Amino acid sequence: MKAELKHINFSYQTNSSKEYHIPLSYQLFGKDLFSAPIILVNHALTGNSDVSGEKGWWKQLIGENQVIDTNKYTVLCFNIPGNGFDDFLIDEYEDFTPSDIANIFLKGLEILNIKKLYAIIGGSLGGGIGWEMLVQHPNLAGIFIPVACDFKTHDWLHAQCLVQKFLLNGNDQPLQKARIHAMLCYRTPQSLNDRFQNRYNQEKQSLESEDWLIYHGNKLNERFSLKSYKLMNHLLMNINAEEMQLEKIEARMHMISVDTDLFFPASEIRMCFEKLKEKKENVFYHEIKSIHGHDAFLMEYEQLNNIIKNIL
């Protein structure tokens, strides 16, 4: 059964001093609010609040008798305003930063009267927003699990997002082209080469890998808006939690990287872990082994489940 999409409405002034009416939407899964420990799940770039159930994008992780067990926890997920899942779009997307989204989520928690979270978990962009939330509210959560992300956007990722921005501002199939480029960053050469092995489709007169990329471009274009993609790419491009404040985060931190990730390299996440480990005891590092790169956090569920099971 799909969880009802709920809304909180409030005014918000961005860090760039722009006034917005925010219809913050969210879904709750599992136990009733305040009857069980609350886990906040922050969705990734093209994700949304529908994290569990039949069409849940993280249903292999969240649900009845899953690692994040909805028989045991209350699972809350906000939609990033402007992701379009609730039909709310933002024209001037550069008015917002990940810090703004963190502020908006914190305001949502305040209105819901949630003062303490059992855990925050987020993959990719969602994890980056988690870092921003905890820098602003260090004692908000008992556990923090950022998956395939870091506290900031490093130069390589910024460069890829810049290419995305150029493609998204084009006139000819901008969303499809941006998605095709993104897929090459979400995966690795080995992942594609092993899967397709230069197989050629005689009927279509093209490589199977080309068909796969075009399929993903068209599929996203059918379910996602150009305005939303521009916003999400802009947010991914600008994750920048204040490094000097990270050590003040009180949550037990479990950083999960992917050894072949091209977006958020494991080496960068490991460097963050090692710096924090010098100043804090409750910091831990885990690594998913995969040929698939960044997308492994949406594919390698056996490894991810085993890691998170031992954390929670």
Side-chain angles (χ1 to χ4, degrees):
M1 182 176 175
K2 185 175 177 180
E4 178 189 356
L5 190 67
K6 300 173 182 287
H7 291 80
I8 306 167
N9 292 281
F10 55 89
S11 295
Y12 175 73
Q13 184 179 77
T14 68
N15 293 328
S16 56
S17 299
K18 302 292 175 60
E19 292 286 344
Y20 276 86
H21 170 75
I22 302 293
L24 180 63
S25 62
Y26 65 98
Q27 286 172 270
L28 289 165
F29 302 87
K31 307 293 281 183
D32 290 340
L33 202 55
F34 307 118
S35 70
I38 302 167
I39 296 178
L40 176 68
V41 178
N42 289 345
H43 69 76
L45 190 135
T46 60
N48 51 56
S49 61
D50 199 14
V51 294
S52 185
E54 185 181 348
K55 294 185 178 180
W57 58 267
W58 238 0
K59 62 184 178 183
Q60 291 93 336
L61 191 71
I62 303 166
E64 290 188 7
N65 303 315
Q66 300 282 31
V67 170
I68 299 178
D69 190 349
T70 48
N71 291 320
K72 183 178 177 183
Y73 300 109
T74 302
V75 177
L76 165 65
C77 185
F78 292 116
N79 284 295
I80 294 175
N83 76 345
F85 187 67
D86 52 8
D87 298 323
F88 176 65
L89 298 172
I90 294 171
D91 293 321
E92 303 299 326
Y93 64 89
E94 291 186 348
D95 287 349
F96 289 83
T97 65
S99 175
D100 284 307
I101 304 303
N103 279 330
I104 288 167
F105 284 7
L106 289 169
K107 181 70 173 175
L109 292 174
E110 181 186 332
I111 292 171
L112 291 172
N113 202 31
I114 297 170
K115 295 179 172 62
K116 186 78 175 181
L117 296 166
Y118 180 71
I120 298 175
I121 179 170
S124 191
L125 173 60
I129 292 167
W131 279 112
E132 298 268 12
M133 292 178 74
L134 287 169
V135 160
Q136 295 176 45
H137 198 328
N139 62 351
L140 177 63
I143 302 169
F144 178 42
I145 311 172
V147 185
C149 72
D150 206 354
F151 70 95
K152 68 184 294 183
T153 301
H154 296 284
D155 293 293
W156 170 261
L157 175 53
H158 190 277
Q160 300 308 318
C161 291
L162 183 62
V163 175
Q164 290 275 292
K165 186 175 182 178
F166 292 153
L167 292 169
L168 289 166
N169 286 329
N171 295 320
D172 182 25
Q173 296 186 309
L175 196 149
Q176 291 96 319
K177 287 179 178 176
R179 185 61 166 182
I180 286 169
H181 167 256
M183 292 303 297
L184 297 178
C185 300
Y186 297 153
R187 304 296 174 89
T188 65
Q190 186 183 357
S191 179
L192 261 69
N193 292 341
D194 283 9
R195 176 170 178 171
F196 296 107
Q197 299 183 20
N198 281 105
R199 288 189 298 271
Y200 192 80
N201 186 317
Q202 290 291 346
E203 185 180 334
K204 294 184 178 179
Q205 293 287 293
S206 62
L207 286 167
E208 287 185 12
S209 55
E210 184 178 333
D211 287 344
W212 179 80
L213 287 167
I214 290 170
Y215 165 79
H216 276 284
N218 290 333
K219 186 179 178 185
L220 187 71
N221 189 53
E222 291 167 5
R223 74 173 182 87
F224 216 71
S225 79
L226 181 59
K227 285 182 182 178
S228 296
Y229 202 127
K230 285 181 176 181
L231 168 68
M232 296 300 156
N233 181 65
H234 171 73
L235 294 175
L236 186 62
M237 195 174 186
N238 289 285
I239 300 166
N240 191 25
E242 193 174 339
E243 186 170 5
M244 297 299 290
Q245 300 299 315
L246 299 184
E247 63 190 84
K248 295 180 181 178
I249 295 173
E250 295 179 13
R252 172 162 50 91
M253 289 188 270
H254 290 266
M255 303 176 201
I256 304 176
S257 72
V258 179
D259 64 342
T260 54
D261 195 334
L262 299 177
F263 258 15
F264 290 99
S267 58
E268 296 285 358
I269 296 171
R270 203 179 306 116
M271 193 184 307
C272 174
F273 160 73
E274 287 168 356
K275 284 183 180 178
L276 281 174
K277 193 66 180 171
E278 292 175 2
K279 300 171 182 176
K280 295 171 64 67
E281 290 185 358
N282 58 343
V283 185
F284 305 89
Y285 176 80
H286 314 266
E287 195 167 286
I288 294 170
K289 308 293 183 186
S290 176
I291 67 166
H292 297 301
H294 186 67
D295 264 3
F297 86 94
L298 298 169
M299 299 169 73
E300 303 284 1
Y301 281 109
E302 186 175 347
Q303 290 186 64
L304 186 57
N305 283 338
N306 284 336
I307 292 168
I308 292 175
K309 179 173 63 179
N310 291 326
I311 295 170
L312 296 178

